[in-house]
Amino acid sequence: MRAFIFPGQGSQKVGMGAELAEASAAAREVFEEVDDALSQKLSAIMREGPDDQLTLTENAQPAIMANAIATLRVLEADFGIALAQHGACVAGHSLGEYSALCAVGAFSLGDTARLLKLRGQAMQAAVPVGEGAMAALLGADIEKAAALASAAAEGEVCDVANDNDPTQVVISGHKGAIERAVALVKDYEIKRGILLPVSAPFHCSLMQPAADRMAEALAATPPGQFSLPVYANVTAARVTDPEEEQHLLVEQVTGRVRWRESVQAMRADGVEQFVELGGKVLGPMVGRIDRDAATVSLITMEEIETFAKEIG
C-alpha cells in the first residue's frame, strides 16, 4: 500500500515549480489557475521572489500547495499515474492537509488556493507581530517537550504545536514563554532549542481568532466527497466523511499536528511506501519515525519520471 503525502510551511523556496512549468503544460495550467483564483501573480513570486514575499504566510501556503498539486498533475497527465489507482490514502503536514484534500477531489484547485490564502492571512492577523514565537526542540520526544512547555508557560501560552518525529517537536505560544523554554532545554535532557523564523505562533490556542475565520470560510466552502481516505493532523486517524473533515480543519488551526502518530497509524493500516509530492521534508521525517518504511520525494521531472517507471 502507498500513501501520497504533502509538505507544509517551510518547504517553500524561490524557483519552486519553475522546472515543472517549463517542461509540462499540466504544471503550467496549475500555476495559471492558482494565479487566476487569487487575482495575483503568485507564480511569478514563486519563480523569481523576492524571498521575503514568498515566505509571507499568505503567499507561502497557496504556493506550497500549488507546487505539490503541479507535481501530482504532471504525474497524472504526463505519465498516466492516477492517484486513486496507485494510492491507498493521503495526508499532509498542516497546510499540506488542504493539498491532500485537493488531490483527492474534496476541494477544487481554485477553492484550495483561496482557502489557504485566507488561512495565511487569518493566522498572521490572529497575534500581533512580536507577541508570539515558535521553537524547534531537537532531540526531544513528545513527553519531554510537553513537560518543558508546561514548566515554561508560567501563565502564558506554551503549547506543543508539531509532533514531527521522535527527534523533533515544535512548541508555539507567547514569545516570553517560548524563550523561557529554549533556555530550559538542558534541564529536560533536550539536545537543543532553536527559535524559528516565523511570523506567527501557529498551532496553539493563540490562533483561535484564525480558527473562527476558517470555520466561517469552510462553512461557505465545505469539502466534498474525496476519492481516498485522508489521515487528519489533529486526530492522526483515517477520515472518509467530508463533514467530519470540515470540523477537523477548523480544529487544526489551534491543534497539534500529530505527524509522528499519523505516520504510525498509516503504517499500522498497511502503508509500506510514502510518496512526498513537491517537497523533501516529510520523506526524511517518515524515515526517522519508521526505518522500515519506504520513502520517495518528488520535485523534479527526472524524479517524477523515475517513480512513474517504477510503479507504472
Side-chain angles (χ1 to χ4, degrees):
M1 288 172 64
R2 182 179 294 109
F4 286 90
I5 56 177
F6 297 81
Q9 205 155 331
S11 58
Q12 74 278 355
K13 66 176 184 178
V14 173
M16 64 192 297
E19 184 212 2
L20 289 187
E22 284 178 20
S24 169
R28 286 194 297 278
E29 286 167 10
V30 169
F31 299 130
E32 287 166 7
E33 191 173 335
V34 170
D35 284 354
D36 289 344
L38 300 179
S39 300
Q40 174 192 10
K41 273 289 184 184
L42 183 63
S43 60
I45 297 172
M46 292 168 66
R47 189 172 59 249
E48 301 159 11
D51 188 63
D52 62 344
Q53 286 296 305
L54 181 59
T55 53
L56 280 176
T57 302
E58 65 175 81
N59 290 333
Q61 294 200 23
I64 292 163
M65 180 278 298
N67 191 51
I69 298 300
T71 307
L72 171 63
R73 294 282 172 83
V74 169
L75 194 58
E76 291 180 329
D78 296 356
F79 297 100
I81 303 297
L83 197 77
Q85 184 183 346
H86 291 275
C89 60
V90 294
H93 191 282
S94 189
L95 80 90
E97 191 165 334
Y98 284 81
S99 307
L101 287 163
C102 179
V104 293
F107 294 120
S108 70
L109 178 58
D111 282 343
T112 311
R114 285 185 287 269
L115 285 167
L116 285 174
K117 182 81 172 178
L118 175 64
R119 185 176 181 269
Q121 291 170 336
M123 286 176 148
Q124 188 61 68
V127 180
V129 175
E131 289 189 14
M134 298 180 77
L137 306 177
L138 306 182
D141 59 26
I142 191 67
E143 289 79 15
K144 288 177 182 177
L148 171 63
S150 179
E154 295 183 13
E156 292 188 312
V157 171
C158 189
D159 295 341
V160 173
N162 300 357
D163 179 8
N164 285 334
D165 65 46
T167 68
Q168 187 196 97
V169 178
V170 176
I171 55 174
S172 180
H174 285 111
K175 187 178 182 183
I178 300 301
E179 289 175 342
R180 285 192 294 274
V182 170
L184 288 169
V185 290
K186 298 296 184 189
D187 296 349
Y188 289 82
E189 299 179 340
I190 294 169
K191 188 175 174 184
R192 198 173 168 205
I194 304 170
L195 287 169
L196 297 176
V198 295
S199 54
F202 307 130
H203 298 293
C204 76
S205 56
L206 295 176
M207 287 284 112
Q208 189 57 48
D212 294 341
R213 285 188 68 187
M214 290 312 296
E216 293 175 7
L218 288 160
T221 309
Q225 293 292 332
F226 31 102
S227 58
L228 292 176
V230 60
Y231 282 72
N233 283 186
V234 295
T235 59
R238 187 176 183 270
V239 181
T240 57
D241 177 48
E243 192 173 340
E244 180 187 0
E245 180 60 23
Q246 180 180 337
H247 296 304
L248 293 175
L249 288 174
V250 176
E251 285 184 41
Q252 191 215 58
V253 180
T254 56
R256 181 183 303 175
V257 176
R258 296 168 61 183
W259 185 252
R260 177 182 60 86
E261 294 170 274
S262 296
V263 171
Q264 289 172 336
M266 286 183 272
R267 286 287 283 153
D269 288 344
V271 171
E272 296 171 338
Q273 184 185 46
F274 294 81
V275 182
E276 180 179 8
L277 297 173
K280 295 201 174 184
V281 178
L282 299 182
M285 277 187 201
V286 171
R288 291 190 290 272
I289 295 164
D290 189 332
R291 290 178 185 174
D292 294 329
T295 63
V296 60
S297 297
L298 306 180
I299 294 179
T300 66
M301 282 296 286
E302 185 179 356
E303 290 164 346
I304 296 167
E305 184 173 5
T306 300
F307 173 73
K309 285 179 179 174
E310 286 173 358
I311 70 165

